[in-house]
Amino acid sequence: MVKICCIGAGYVGGPTMAVIALKCPSIEVAVVDISVSRINAWNSDQLPIYEPGLDGVVKQCRGKNLFFSTDVEKHVSEADIVFVSVNTPTKTQGLGAGKAADLTYWESAARVIADVSKSDKIVVEKSTVPVKTAEAIEKILTHNSKGIKFQILSNPEFLAEGTAIQDLFNPDRVLIGGRETPEGQKAVKALKDVYAHWVPEDRILTTNLWSAELSKLAANAFLAQRISSVNAMSALCEATGANVSQVAFAVGTDSRIGPKFLNASVGFGGSCFQKDILNLVYICECNGLPEVAEYWKQVIKINDYQKSRFVNRVVASMFNTVSNKKIAVLGFAFKKDTGDTRETPAIDVCKGLLGDKARLSIYDPQVTEDQIQRDLTMNKFDWDHPLHLQPMSPTTVKQVSVVWDAYEATKDAHGVCILTEWDEFKTLDYQRIYDNMQKPAFVFDGRNVVDANKLREIGFIVYSIGKPLDPWLKDMPAVA
Ligand code: NAI
C-alpha cells in the first residue's frame, strides 16, 4: 500500500489530503502538524477550518485511510511520498524583510525528513515557494541523507478557499514539476498516478521544477492583477458616472479576456495574493529586474489605495468625522463561504475607521470575536505563523464589539459597511435596519451586494463601489 504523509494540516494540507484519501482508497494518508490544537480539531466534530463539503469528505475517510496526527517523525519515516504544506510567510526581519518568503518552517520540515527517513522518498512542495526552493531543499536533504535518495517535485496547489472541495474534485489542472532525469521523471509518474485516480490525464500538466514553482506565483499575480485592474477602473467610474458592473461585463464578454474575477470590491485579501506578489517582486529584484518588480508592486499599491479610498468615502460622507459614531461592519472574512480572515480588507478598513475614532460593531457569520480582536491587534505578517508561535495579545480593541446578528450590529448605527459578500446580506430586512438606525443612515457597500435603488427608496444614502454616485456623495472629497 502506498503511504502518503503531509506535513502541515492547514487550509491546503487538510482538504487536499482528505480528497486524495477519498479518491484513492488504496492509499493511506497521514496529515501531521506541530500544532496539537489543530490536530485535535481535525480529529473532532468541529474541524479547524470551515469549507463547504469538507466535513463529509473527512467523515467518510477518517480512521479508514485518513489519519491526523502530531507524530510527525513516525508518519514521515513510514511514507513513500511526503507532501510539505507548511506556512511560507513574508519575512518581517532581516534580508528581504517585507517581501521575501520566510522558509523557516519549510527548512525545519526538510530537516525532519532528512533526519527520520530510512527509505527513499519523493518530497512534494505543496506550499507556495520562491522559484529555486527545490534546489535548496535538495541540498538539505542530500547533505543529511545517509545514502537515502530523495526526489523533489513541485506540485503547487491552485484551490480557492470557499470552493476548495469542488476545486479539488474537478481541478482546471494539476501541475507537477520535476527534474528532467530518469529518476525525476519516475517520481513525476508516481505522483501523476495518484492524481490519475480522478483527474483526467490531459489536465495533469508536467513541467520542469522551476516552471512549476514560478507558475504558481505567476497565476496568483495574474488573478490579483485582474482585481486591481477592475478596482482601478472603479475609481474612474465613480469620477465619470460610468458603472463598473456594466464596464466589467462589456470587457469580460471579450473571449480573449473572459468574465471571471472582474468584480470591483473594497480589495482583495486572503493569505496568498499579497504574500505571493511580494515574493515575486523580491525575486525580480534579486534577478536584476527592477522594472518587472515595479510593475507587479503596483497591483498591491492599487489594492491598498482601494481600501483607503473606501475608508475616506465613509468618513467624508459622514460629515468628515466618524468620531464616537457607531459603524456596523457586516462581514469580516476575506470572502464569503470561509471563516478565513488572513489579509482580509476588513482589517485595514476597520483600522482606518478606528483611526478616526469610530465605534465598530462587527458581525460575520463565520468569524469569532477572538479572531477579530487578534486581527485588529496583530502586526503585519505575524498572522502567517503556526498558531502557537503567534504573539499572544492580551489587549483588546475597546471600541470594537463583535455580535452574532446583523440587526444587532446595525442597531443605533450611523452607517453600515458591507465588507464580505455573504449571501445573507442580500436578503436582510433593510427597512427594519433603517428604522433602527440613526439618521441620516448610510450604507457603504464594499462588495456591491445590495440593491442600491431599493435602499435609496427606503431612505438610505448609499455608496456602491464604482457605481454612479448618490448626489450626497458627489461633492465630498474621496481621493485617498
Ligand atoms: P496554514 O497556516 O493553514 O497551515 C500550515 C500548517 O503548517 C499550520 O497548521 C502549521 O502549524 C503547520 N506547520 C508549520 N511548520 C511545521 C512543521 N515544521 N512541521 C509540521 N507542521 C508545521 O497554511 P495554508 O493556508 O494551508 O498554506 C500552506 C501553504 O500553501 C502556503 O505556502 C500557502 O501559500 C500555500 N497555499 C495556500 C492556499 C490557500 O488558499 N490557503 C492555496 C494555495 C497554496
Side-chain angles (χ1 to χ4, degrees):
M1 190 184 219
V2 174
K3 285 193 174 178
I4 287 180
C5 172
C6 176
I7 306 180
Y11 284 85
V12 169
T16 49
M17 292 303 124
V19 168
I20 289 180
L22 182 77
K23 299 290 186 181
C24 312
S26 59
I27 296 178
E28 190 179 296
V29 183
V31 193
V32 297
D33 204 294
I34 43 178
S35 163
V36 177
S37 61
R38 228 177 198 181
I39 290 298
N40 286 345
W42 279 111
N43 283 322
S44 75
D45 283 339
Q46 195 69 42
L47 299 184
I49 60 178
Y50 170 71
E51 192 62 63
L54 177 64
D55 259 46
V57 176
V58 170
K59 277 188 189 133
Q60 281 181 70
C61 323
R62 197 173 52 192
K64 290 185 190 139
N65 66 333
L66 175 66
F67 303 92
F68 295 93
S69 166
T70 49
D71 196 343
V72 180
E73 300 188 355
K74 170 178 179 282
H75 290 286
V76 169
S77 84
E78 288 175 356
D80 306 290
I81 304 176
V82 181
F83 286 79
V84 182
S85 183
V86 298
N87 328 51
T88 49
T90 304
K91 275 184 88 170
T92 49
Q93 287 179 347
L95 190 65
K99 277 183 278 192
D102 177 350
L103 293 177
T104 314
Y105 304 113
W106 227 115
E107 188 178 330
S108 76
R111 288 186 187 280
V112 170
I113 299 172
D115 284 350
V116 305
S117 292
K118 295 189 195 74
S119 55
D120 295 353
K121 294 199 190 314
I122 296 171
V123 177
V124 184
E125 289 177 346
K126 202 41 146 171
S127 302
T128 305
V129 290
V131 64
K132 294 276 177 184
T133 299
E135 202 164 63
I137 300 303
E138 233 166 27
K139 283 186 185 138
I140 294 173
L141 293 173
T142 46
H143 276 85
N144 297 282
S145 73
K146 305 154 235 143
I148 293 162
K149 294 209 172 53
F150 295 102
Q151 277 301 322
I152 320 286
L153 300 177
S154 166
N155 173 219
E157 185 49 60
F158 293 100
L159 67 78
E161 285 174 32
T163 52
I165 298 301
Q166 277 319 310
D167 295 345
L168 288 164
F169 279 174
N170 192 17
D172 288 342
R173 77 310 206 182
V174 167
L175 181 57
I176 304 174
R179 287 273 184 203
E180 283 154 323
T181 57
E183 299 80 26
Q185 289 308 299
K186 204 175 146 204
V188 168
K189 163 118 189 5
L191 186 55
K192 213 174 157 180
D193 288 346
V194 172
Y195 285 108
H197 279 85
W198 79 98
V199 180
E201 191 127 347
D202 59 348
R203 287 204 221 152
I204 306 178
L205 314 182
T206 54
T207 64
N208 76 25
L209 269 172
W210 323 133
S211 301
E213 288 179 336
L214 187 53
S215 298
K216 174 64 193 177
L217 296 180
N220 273 354
F222 276 49
L223 288 169
Q225 181 210 41
R226 279 174 80 92
I227 299 176
S228 280
S229 296
V230 77
N231 281 345
M233 283 300 154
S234 76
L236 188 56
C237 286
E238 288 168 30
T240 56
N243 179 327
V244 75
S245 300
Q246 294 172 350
V247 173
F249 183 74
V251 169
T253 44
D254 186 324
S255 61
R256 292 168 301 178
I257 297 172
K260 291 186 182 164
F261 255 65
L262 286 181
N263 285 331
S265 70
V266 61
F268 62 73
S271 64
C272 295
F273 282 177
Q274 173 167 291
K275 163 173 86 73
D276 293 349
I277 293 174
L278 288 171
N279 189 352
L280 186 65
V281 165
Y282 184 69
I283 295 168
C284 293
E285 287 171 352
C286 291
N287 282 282
L289 302 168
E291 289 82 0
V292 185
E294 262 320 299
Y295 174 76
W296 288 111
K297 233 186 245 174
Q298 204 58 33
V299 172
I300 295 178
K301 281 194 189 160
I302 286 287
N303 199 46
D304 289 338
Y305 164 78
Q306 190 74 345
K307 289 181 272 191
S308 51
R309 207 168 73 76
F310 186 84
V311 172
N312 287 359
R313 281 281 187 213
V314 176
V315 179
S317 311
M318 297 171 76
F319 315 101
N320 242 354
T321 176
V322 287
S323 180
N324 212 27
K325 289 179 186 162
K326 176 174 173 180
I327 310 262
V329 171
L330 300 188
F332 199 83
F334 84 93
K335 64 174 175 180
K336 74 170 180 176
D337 293 340
T338 177
D340 194 355
T341 59
R342 298 179 293 181
E343 289 295 340
T344 175
I347 295 175
D348 285 341
V349 170
C350 288
K351 283 185 173 173
L353 295 172
L354 290 167
D356 232 287
K357 298 208 174 87
R359 287 184 294 120
L360 303 183
S361 185
I362 304 176
Y363 163 67
D364 185 291
Q366 286 297 333
V367 185
T368 61
E369 174 163 16
D370 182 53
Q371 186 62 48
I372 289 172
Q373 285 289 357
R374 275 166 162 279
D375 288 333
L376 293 177
T377 46
M378 216 180 307
N379 290 329
K380 209 166 169 55
F381 302 126
D382 276 352
W383 51 266
D384 199 6
H385 291 267
L387 273 180
H388 65 287
L389 297 179
Q390 284 175 15
M392 296 303 281
S393 164
T395 53
T396 53
V397 186
K398 290 199 181 57
Q399 308 94 296
V400 171
S401 64
V402 178
V403 295
W404 281 100
D405 175 51
Y407 298 103
E408 184 62 31
T410 51
K411 192 162 174 269
D412 291 326
H414 290 256
V416 179
C417 295
I418 302 175
L419 300 184
T420 311
E421 71 281 22
W422 285 105
D423 288 337
E424 66 178 72
F425 299 156
K426 290 182 187 156
T427 52
L428 290 171
D429 180 350
Y430 281 98
Q431 181 68 56
R432 176 177 161 198
I433 288 176
Y434 180 80
D435 292 343
N436 288 321
M437 281 177 66
Q438 304 281 340
K439 308 293 171 334
F442 298 84
V443 168
F444 303 93
D445 185 359
R447 298 286 179 172
N448 286 342
V449 291
V450 299
D451 182 337
N453 288 334
K454 269 201 190 136
L455 263 59
R456 286 190 183 113
E457 277 167 25
I458 294 173
F460 283 106
I461 295 160
V462 185
Y463 167 66
S464 306
I465 294 217
K467 302 285 179 80
L469 289 178
D470 210 293
W472 181 284
L473 291 138
K474 268 202 178 121
D475 304 321
M476 306 282 178
V479 178

